[in-house]
């Protein structure tokens, strides 16, 4: 499943910096200096979203994994059936 940090969700730190997630240091902008719409639709946000598509951290957290699992329901469902349910019920020979 693709990481949708900075596209479907964001993190705002205590100082008002809008980041794609709490695992990235880069900021899209500060809510004290610009409106959320200006930040979210700005050039810096576009640049950071492109960087997110190349992120190799694979640091899924509940705030990002849960919405993605709901959106791409069949991906985790098939994985669970294949890697958990079938192995438990049919044995390790799969």
């Amino acid at each position: 499943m693709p990481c949708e940090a900075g596209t479907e969700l964001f993190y705002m730190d205590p100082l008002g910096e809008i980041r794609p997630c709490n695992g990235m240091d880069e900021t899209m902008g500060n809510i004290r200096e610009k409106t959320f719409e200006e930040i979210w639709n700005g050039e810096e946000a576009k640049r950071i979203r492109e960087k997110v598509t190349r992120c190799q951290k694979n640091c899924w957290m509940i705030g990002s994994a849960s919405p993605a699992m709901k959106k791409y329901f069949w991906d985790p469902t098939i994985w669970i059936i294949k890697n958990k349910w079938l192995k438990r019920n049919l044995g390790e020979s799969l």
Side-chain angles (χ1 to χ4, degrees), residues 30-69:
N30 191 295
I31 199 73
R32 296 178 183 182
E33 299 166 4
K34 297 179 182 177
T35 67
F36 181 78
E37 290 76 18
E38 290 173 319
I39 295 168
W40 196 248
N41 299 313
E43 290 303 314
E44 194 62 20
K46 291 176 187 173
R47 184 187 69 75
I48 290 175
R49 284 185 188 107
E50 179 60 33
K51 189 171 183 177
V52 168
T53 65
R54 296 185 310 273
C55 181
Q56 298 295 311
K57 289 184 180 180
N58 201 21
C59 58
W60 289 96
M61 295 172 271
I62 191 63
S64 56
S66 177
M69 289 174 74

Side-chain angles (χ1 to χ4, degrees), residues 1-86:
M1 294 182 302
C3 177
E4 296 182 329
T7 303
E8 296 291 324
L9 56 105
F10 67 93
Y11 170 74
M12 183 171 69
D13 75 13
L15 300 176
E17 297 293 338
I18 305 292
R19 304 176 193 282
C21 68
N22 62 350
M24 290 188 91
D25 292 330
E26 293 190 62
T27 178
M28 296 175 165
N30 191 295
I31 199 73
R32 296 178 183 182
E33 299 166 4
K34 297 179 182 177
T35 67
F36 181 78
E37 290 76 18
E38 290 173 319
I39 295 168
W40 196 248
N41 299 313
E43 290 303 314
E44 194 62 20
K46 291 176 187 173
R47 184 187 69 75
I48 290 175
R49 284 185 188 107
E50 179 60 33
K51 189 171 183 177
V52 168
T53 65
R54 296 185 310 273
C55 181
Q56 298 295 311
K57 289 184 180 180
N58 201 21
C59 58
W60 289 96
M61 295 172 271
I62 191 63
S64 56
S66 177
M69 289 174 74
K70 290 175 185 173
K71 186 174 182 180
Y72 301 99
F73 177 79
W74 288 109
D75 290 343
T77 301
I78 291 169
W79 186 92
I80 290 167
I81 291 169
K82 180 179 172 185
N83 293 285
K84 298 295 182 179
W85 191 83
L86 288 176

